[in-house]
Amino acid sequence: MSSRFAAALGAVVLATAVLAGPAHAHDGHDHGAAPPPVSKSIAPRGESASDAFELTAIPQDGTVTFYLDRFRTNEPIRGGVVEVETPEGQRTAKETEEAAYVLPAPWMAKAGSHDLLVTVTVGDMVDVLTVSVTVPDTKAPAAAASSAAPTAMARASDAVADLKGRLVARDPVLMLVAGGAFLIGMLVTVAMRGRRSLPAVAVVAVVVTLVLGGGAFAHGDEDHGAPVQGTALLDPAQPSSDLAQRLPDGSVFVPKPTQRLLVLRTTMTEKATFHRTVELPGRVIPDPNASGVVQSSVGGRLSPPPSGLFPRLGTKVDKGDVLATVTPPVQAVDVSDMRQRQGELDQQIDVVQRRVERFRKLATTGAVAQTQLDDAQSELKGLQDRRTALDKVRQQPESLVAPVDGVIAQASAVAGQMATAGGMVFQIVDPTRLWVEALSFDALTPAGNATARFADGRTLSLVYQGAGLADRNQAIPVQFAVKGDTSGLRVGQFLTVLAGTDAEQSGLALPRAAVVRSGNGQAIVYEHVAAERFEARQVRVEPLDGTNVLVAEGVGAGKRIVTEGAELLDQVR
């Protein structure tokens, strides 16, 4: 092989190696280690924490703002004293209306690292915290890309590795390059037969390589001249402003001012043992000792009470009040018997009345003893009373009387309506004394209290009253008394009862508001890992009571978990 042929072939190989370097990154392949993502909206800041306090320092516009919170609860502290050791001596930060502490700090405008010694005094508690803040140089240009370029051999090695992957994927661009390589091979073969055309063949090979390699520089709608997607270079000359955002690692950055607006609160988890809790369907029932029903003992026609109006729903009534009257109907046979009896009584009254008048006249002369006159008068009075009672049976209705004090919970009285014997006309309930009846399929803890929860999140404290010995629909009826305020409750209202069993389980008790659902339905909580950073933790929860849940897995003890504002925190993108 002549030197001219070797030179031409070397030119072809070199051009191919150099130009193939930019072409090997496509369709998600790695162009090299990307710079770490840096948010453009996070200003320089520093933080420090102790067992009692958490301090965040943010320098801006010649001042430094301190945000002081309680470490366990993330509650802003008001009325504290924040003293800072500065190059000008000890200075005290001034408290603002937003529970922040502002200190003029012109020396913080200088680029570099600043270590602040802060003394915090809240009541009888005094703590010393060290905060380190790094201020970037706003006059420095943006960080440039690495100046060390890869060597030609390294780029050729990368091209070979990429070539294998593209052969497997059958990349159309690669097929075009392969066709060009075949054409170059044909030219080289021809050149070997005619040594005179070697320079021309080398030139043609280089041109073909340039054309085919250039097509691979940008393909698949990619722009290799733009920065790699998913990275952002922080421009120090651009002003920073704090924005709540989700970071690339999945954690959530929330600046302290935003935390105050969202009212984010945390609690420190503690492991404990609890009785296993079961959820039971239940409903509100009246206390049987403070409620009653009004029924008619005989069928008849309803009429308003002497007041003229039936009591309305919610009307307060007292024991003994007449709520309605029932006039029983009289059948035709009964009317005939009553009239016959009335006639007999009228006849007897007439006979006895004449006897009394005769005895009265004879008693004055002594012909009749006074005792006979008295007996005749008593017999007459008895007959008249029987006659009067018989008339009342046809005319006087039955009065429906309230058996207890309370309010009208149900009413079905309508003037002229025919009431059936034993039918409920009114139900009276004491609204301050209500019970809850639930159906349980498990044996509950004897005399164990429970909690009731409504669909809207309201809860009630319940006191165990007893359980039935006879099953109802294959379940055991269990009754609880409502403890505390009963306003807003209605008889028959459905709810969920959370009652304890004899089984025990260990875990962490957290408020129900601390657990949110992710996009895939997984239960998660947010851990407060830094002053302004929160991370989602997948957990497995079980019911505990009306306001709390038991976290069985996913979070350990001694973690700060968000208990208020978790739903809002989950919406940060």
Side-chain angles (χ1 to χ4, degrees):
M1 181 181 295
S2 66
S3 60
R4 291 185 300 171
F5 177 76
L9 186 59
V12 172
V13 173
L14 181 60
T16 305
V18 173
L19 296 175
H24 78 280
H26 65 93
D27 292 343
H29 285 70
D30 189 5
H31 289 257
V38 180
S39 175
K40 296 182 179 180
S41 59
I42 300 180
R45 62 220 312 114
E47 63 183 61
S48 180
S50 64
D51 293 338
F53 307 115
E54 186 174 56
L55 184 67
T56 305
I58 304 177
Q60 189 175 12
D61 299 333
T63 63
V64 57
T65 303
F66 295 94
Y67 293 93
L68 183 62
D69 304 298
R70 299 195 181 276
F71 181 77
R72 297 177 65 92
T73 63
N74 199 42
E75 179 183 358
I77 296 178
R78 295 181 180 272
V81 178
V82 178
E83 299 175 332
V84 185
E85 297 292 338
T86 69
E88 303 172 353
Q90 189 179 59
R91 295 291 185 267
T92 301
K94 182 179 180 181
E95 184 178 2
T96 65
E97 296 181 356
E98 293 77 16
Y101 300 84
V102 180
L103 177 70
W107 38 270
M108 289 289 291
K110 182 180 178 181
S113 179
H114 302 270
D115 293 330
L116 306 178
L117 185 63
V118 183
T119 303
V120 176
T121 305
V122 179
D124 297 335
M125 301 178 62
V126 179
D127 210 339
V128 178
L129 303 174
T130 302
V131 183
S132 179
V133 182
T134 301
V135 178
D137 188 1
T138 58
K139 298 180 181 180
S146 176
S147 59
T151 63
M153 294 302 297
R155 296 177 64 182
S157 176
D158 292 341
V160 171
D162 180 69
L163 181 61
K164 295 180 181 179
R166 296 174 66 182
L167 283 173
V168 175
R170 295 185 177 181
D171 191 348
V173 176
L174 179 61
M175 306 307 291
L176 181 61
V177 174
F182 178 77
L183 178 59
I184 294 174
M186 293 295 294
L187 292 176
V188 172
T189 302
V190 172
M192 292 181 65
R193 294 181 178 180
R195 301 293 182 89
R196 296 180 181 179
S197 58
L198 279 177
V201 170
V203 173
V204 172
V206 171
V207 172
V208 172
T209 304
L210 287 172
V211 173
L212 297 178
F217 282 2
H219 56 86
D221 294 332
E222 292 186 17
D223 185 6
H224 292 270
V228 180
Q229 186 178 3
T231 64
L233 298 179
L234 177 62
D235 185 3
Q238 181 179 1
S240 300
S241 60
D242 291 339
L243 298 174
Q245 56 191 282
R246 192 171 294 271
L247 301 179
D249 61 355
S251 62
V252 180
F253 170 79
V254 182
K256 280 298 180 181
T258 306
Q259 293 185 32
R260 307 289 175 88
L261 294 177
L262 299 181
V263 195
L264 298 183
R265 297 291 181 266
T266 62
T267 187
M268 191 72 71
T269 56
E270 298 178 358
K271 195 169 185 178
T273 302
F274 306 91
H275 283 283
R276 191 175 71 87
T277 303
V278 293
E279 294 186 354
L280 310 175
R283 64 186 182 92
V284 179
I285 62 174
D287 185 347
N289 299 315
S291 62
V293 294
V294 179
Q295 297 175 319
S296 175
S297 59
V298 296
R301 193 174 303 279
L302 288 175
S303 300
S307 62
L309 297 174
F310 291 112
R312 302 183 305 274
L313 291 175
T315 302
K316 189 179 184 306
V317 296
D318 297 326
K319 182 179 180 179
D321 290 350
V322 178
L323 308 181
T325 59
V326 178
T327 303
V330 181
Q331 302 296 331
V333 176
D334 297 336
V335 172
S336 178
D337 292 343
M338 293 176 61
R339 287 179 179 177
Q340 182 180 356
R341 186 59 180 165
Q342 286 176 351
E344 293 176 357
L345 290 175
D346 291 340
Q347 185 178 6
Q348 293 177 8
I349 290 173
D350 184 60
V351 171
V352 174
Q353 190 173 5
R354 287 197 301 269
R355 185 189 305 166
V356 169
E357 292 177 356
R358 185 169 60 254
F359 285 172
R360 187 179 289 113
K361 292 178 181 180
L362 294 176
T364 56
T365 61
V368 176
Q370 184 64 33
T371 55
Q372 292 180 340
L373 177 61
D374 294 340
D375 293 341
Q377 290 177 343
S378 297
E379 184 179 1
L380 177 61
K381 186 176 182 304
L383 292 173
Q384 290 175 344
D385 291 343
R386 291 169 60 188
R387 181 67 175 82
T388 303
L390 191 60
D391 291 338
K392 289 183 178 180
V393 171
R394 296 184 57 187
Q395 298 177 358
Q396 185 175 4
E398 177 188 7
S399 297
L400 303 183
V401 180
V404 294
D405 298 336
V407 298
I408 302 297
Q410 293 187 37
S412 60
V414 178
Q417 177 184 356
M418 293 298 295
T420 59
M424 187 182 68
V425 181
F426 298 98
Q427 182 183 22
I428 302 174
V429 175
D430 186 350
T432 62
R433 299 175 60 181
L434 296 175
W435 284 15
V436 171
E437 184 180 67
L439 296 178
S440 173
F441 296 93
D442 299 324
L444 302 182
T445 303
N449 296 339
T451 305
R453 186 181 73 249
F454 293 92
D456 58 1
R458 291 183 301 153
T459 59
L460 296 173
S461 296
L462 304 179
V463 179
Y464 179 83
Q465 296 296 318
L469 297 178
D471 287 355
R472 183 189 304 171
N473 297 330
Q474 305 297 321
I476 304 173
V478 186
Q479 292 182 341
F480 304 88
V482 178
K483 181 181 179 180
D485 186 19
T486 59
S487 59
L489 297 183
R490 304 184 308 275
V491 175
Q493 192 172 8
F494 291 99
L495 41 75
T496 301
V497 177
L498 294 99
T501 62
D502 294 331
E504 292 185 348
Q505 57 185 355
S506 61
L508 310 173
L510 289 177
R512 289 181 175 271
V515 182
V516 296
R517 294 289 177 180
S518 61
N520 59 359
Q522 175 68 41
I524 61 173
V525 297
Y526 279 92
E527 180 184 352
H528 195 182
V529 296
E532 297 177 310
R533 196 162 63 89
F534 303 83
E535 292 184 359
R537 301 282 187 248
Q538 294 186 357
V539 294
R540 179 172 62 87
V541 298
E542 297 180 3
L544 183 59
D545 54 40
T547 57
N548 299 315
V549 295
L550 184 69
V551 178
E553 294 180 2
V555 175
K559 304 296 183 180
R560 290 189 296 169
I561 303 299
V562 178
T563 57
E564 297 182 28
E567 286 284 354
L568 300 175
L569 188 62
D570 192 52
Q571 302 301 319
V572 177
R573 295 292 181 266

